[in-house]
Amino acid sequence: MVPLPRTMSRAAEALRERVPPLTALPLPHKVDERWLRSRWPVKELATPPAGSGLKPVLGDEGPPLVGHMLEMMRFGPAFGLRRHELYGPVSWTGGFGRRIVALSGPEATQIALVNKDKAFSQEGWKFFIEKFFERGLMLMDFGEHHLHRRIMQEAFTRPRLAGYVGEMGPALREGVAAWRGSERPRLYWALKQLTLDVATRVFMGMPSGGEAARINRAFVSSVRAGTAFVRFPVPGGRWSAGLHGRKVLERYFGESLPAKRRSSGDDLFAALCQATTEEGDRFSDADIVNHMIFLMMAAHDTTTITSSAMAYYFAKYPEWQERAREESLALGDDVLDIDAVEKLETLDLVMKEALRLVAPVPSLTRQTVKDTEVLGHYIPAGTLVGVSPTVNHFTPECWTNPFSFDPERFAEPRREDKSHRMAWMPFGGGAHKCIGLHFGSLEVKLLLHEMLRAYRWSVPESYTARWDYVSLPVPADGLPVRLTPR
């Protein structure tokens, strides 16, 4: 018999595929505009030390109890841009029962991410996701992070990436072909299932089936739990489902690990078991379990979001869809290897523009471990800090017509992404820049290549996707498209 909390969690997940969360329900434009532009009493975060010459960080709590959580989730980048407009690149806001400093704009974000004085730690992530992604690479700091990253890099060498592409290609072609007969799919959910299936096969060497579906559900529950409003294990709630998901994943990877240690497989799980630096450093069993849980989350969610955003813009701008399709068809019918994937220039341009407009990770969390300053503003130790790629991606100083879809901005000679080191940062920056960015880019391009070969897809001219920012950006309606086999 399936326990009641698990049954409730599955029911809630099934409902979510059809019904958007309350924060994404459509409201009249004037209501949204008034909500976004509402004002609250301005206060100082903390008084700067006497004689320091530093300015206080200004901001506001927002509504009682919830702070600005609902606006963050409903408006996404628009909320960050509004705060930047009100307070500048350094401000604070109330949310999740905390005061959170927001750093926006290229100069402020560079200070935190380059982190020359080591004032900004990854401790900030622990508040949101440690219960579910304990000791993942993103939660580690300084020397320990550097050591673990060096070991993990052995699983992302070019020969390894070439092997992963070789595994992904047939799986993606098979998965995309299975959509035939679905004329009006909610594409986000189809892509999510496909990327999860590919992740279990390529990352874990695990075939599709009942066990894979169970593991996939555990990942989904763990990812969604981080931004739960009720942060207690209430039956049927996201926090409870996330805790259960974490236990499922720990048990699976722990039980599978001895066989992976002995294997010479090409999947990522085996690669982490075998990874050894020149100095002989290796991961412990506990390290591998923690890193696998984190990497599965980081890989499949960002891949789903990016491929969904690309598919949406291809539907809205069919001339770009046809241009990309011509390049894909020119490569013939064989499943692509890594060299061929890297030749897909139009897909590369559209992917970069989609990453700019819909950053898969809209905020990077840090916590100050000592008193510090950013652009002359005093930030005390122990402050939760959110670094915002999304604001940088719409900064007029860096981008021409920043709200327009224009992939050519990434082509030579324009290269607007080079206008500032932190103008375009969908993969983060500094020492914690995403270790799997090349893997993810290859998977997304290979997936869209297979879609272009197999189908044409469209949305009504009047349709505009609304992105739900409850956790990571998701099309609130699942992205319904008209899918036509070629």
Side-chain angles (χ1 to χ4, degrees):
M1 181 176 178
V2 180
L4 180 60
R6 212 176 313 168
T7 303
M8 293 171 66
S9 176
R10 290 183 189 177
E13 200 65 38
L15 184 64
R16 181 171 179 263
E17 292 190 17
R18 290 291 172 183
V19 180
L22 293 176
T23 52
L25 291 176
L27 291 174
H29 175 72
K30 288 185 178 179
V31 175
D32 269 343
E33 187 69 13
R34 184 174 179 181
W35 186 3
L36 182 60
R37 295 193 168 274
S38 59
R39 299 293 298 270
W40 300 88
V42 178
K43 302 176 184 178
E44 295 182 358
L45 174 73
T47 302
S52 66
L54 298 176
K55 297 174 286 187
V57 177
L58 300 181
D60 64 79
E61 297 277 6
L65 299 178
V66 297
H68 285 291
M69 281 177 58
L70 296 181
E71 292 102 310
M72 294 177 201
M73 293 174 178
R74 181 171 184 83
F75 299 112
F79 176 78
L81 289 163
R82 173 62 175 160
R83 302 296 285 187
H84 187 84
E85 174 190 326
L86 280 175
Y87 296 112
V90 186
S91 66
W92 71 269
T93 188
F96 299 98
R98 300 281 297 270
R99 288 186 170 188
I100 305 171
V101 166
L103 302 182
S104 55
E107 299 301 329
T109 55
Q110 179 166 296
I111 290 169
L113 296 185
V114 174
N115 199 16
K116 287 183 178 179
D117 64 352
K118 292 184 168 55
F120 297 90
S121 83
Q122 300 300 106
E123 289 286 319
W125 282 116
K126 293 183 179 181
F127 174 76
F128 292 102
I129 65 172
E130 183 179 29
K131 292 284 186 182
F132 318 104
F133 299 101
E134 180 183 1
R135 292 191 58 74
L137 188 67
M138 192 170 71
L139 279 71
M140 292 182 171
D141 271 311
F142 311 125
E144 183 182 45
H145 168 260
H146 178 69
L147 173 60
H148 279 245
R149 190 179 178 97
R150 283 186 61 234
I151 300 172
M152 192 177 292
Q153 194 62 56
E154 295 299 311
F156 290 98
T157 61
R158 187 170 179 82
R160 284 285 188 185
L161 289 174
Y164 301 149
V165 170
E167 290 291 321
M168 283 191 290
L172 288 169
R173 179 164 293 188
E174 177 186 325
V176 168
W179 297 346
R180 288 183 179 271
S182 301
E183 293 184 4
R184 294 181 180 273
R186 293 177 185 266
L187 195 56
Y188 169 80
W189 296 107
L191 287 167
K192 188 172 186 65
Q193 186 59 55
L194 177 55
T195 57
L196 278 166
D197 289 344
V198 170
T200 48
R201 290 170 67 171
V202 176
F203 272 35
M204 297 162 16
M206 183 180 185
S208 300
E211 180 73 355
R214 185 176 70 91
I215 297 302
N216 289 346
R217 281 196 300 271
F219 276 113
V220 171
S221 296
S222 298
V223 171
R224 282 181 50 76
T227 53
F229 181 70
V230 179
R231 306 176 78 79
F232 299 98
V234 178
R238 280 195 285 154
W239 193 264
S240 177
L243 293 175
H244 172 74
R246 170 75 193 195
K247 290 179 181 177
V248 169
L249 298 172
E250 285 180 345
R251 190 180 309 117
Y252 169 76
F253 286 116
E255 292 173 353
S256 304
L257 202 148
K260 286 292 180 182
R261 284 282 198 198
R262 296 190 298 270
S263 79
S264 57
D266 294 327
D267 56 274
L268 182 66
F269 194 0
L272 288 185
C273 289
Q274 299 156 15
T276 309
T277 66
E278 292 181 358
E279 295 77 17
D281 295 310
R282 304 185 70 191
F283 286 137
S284 69
D285 287 359
D287 290 334
I288 292 171
V289 170
N290 290 326
H291 287 315
M292 279 301 301
I293 293 173
F294 173 75
L295 286 170
M296 281 290 291
M297 177 275 291
H300 97 258
D301 258 348
T302 54
T303 300
T304 303
I305 293 164
T306 305
S307 56
S308 296
M310 289 178 69
Y312 166 65
Y313 288 112
F314 274 137
K316 288 287 285 185
Y317 301 92
E319 68 276 15
W320 278 95
Q321 187 179 150
E322 291 305 320
R323 174 173 158 176
R325 181 173 289 107
E326 287 180 13
E327 286 186 11
S328 285
L329 294 178
L331 295 178
D333 292 332
D334 291 341
V335 175
L336 302 188
D337 61 16
I338 189 171
D339 294 323
V341 175
E342 290 173 340
K343 293 175 183 175
L344 295 168
E345 294 180 5
T346 297
L347 274 176
D348 196 59
L349 294 177
V350 173
M351 179 178 66
K352 288 176 178 176
E353 180 70 334
L355 284 165
R356 184 184 72 85
L357 293 168
V358 186
V361 183
S363 182
L364 309 171
T365 309
R366 300 290 188 268
Q367 184 165 301
T368 52
V369 293
K370 59 184 178 182
D371 291 358
T372 189
E373 63 92 14
V374 174
L375 301 181
H377 293 82
Y378 169 65
I379 304 177
T383 301
L384 200 60
V385 176
V387 179
S388 176
T390 55
V391 173
N392 297 16
H393 289 182
F394 295 96
T395 303
E397 292 80 11
C398 297
W399 307 98
T400 305
N401 299 319
F403 293 95
S404 299
F405 175 76
D406 181 8
E408 292 287 359
R409 69 174 81 245
F410 290 93
E412 301 292 351
R414 285 173 65 185
R415 291 308 303 269
E416 292 182 8
D417 55 311
K418 299 295 184 183
S419 58
H420 190 283
R421 183 179 179 183
M422 296 293 168
W424 186 73
M425 43 181 289
F427 302 106
H432 283 271
K433 192 170 185 178
C434 176
I435 195 171
L437 68 92
H438 296 300
F439 174 92
S441 297
L442 289 165
E443 181 178 1
V444 168
K445 289 172 69 175
L446 190 53
L447 170 51
L448 268 294
H449 164 77
E450 293 298 338
M451 287 180 62
L452 289 164
R453 289 182 67 260
Y455 307 101
R456 283 184 171 85
W457 62 95
S458 61
V459 293
E461 191 172 339
S462 61
Y463 175 80
T464 300
R466 183 180 184 91
W467 298 89
D468 155 29
Y469 283 86
V470 168
S471 52
L472 302 179
V474 171
D477 57 4
L479 189 57
V481 300
R482 177 183 286 276
L483 194 67
T484 307
R486 284 187 59 254

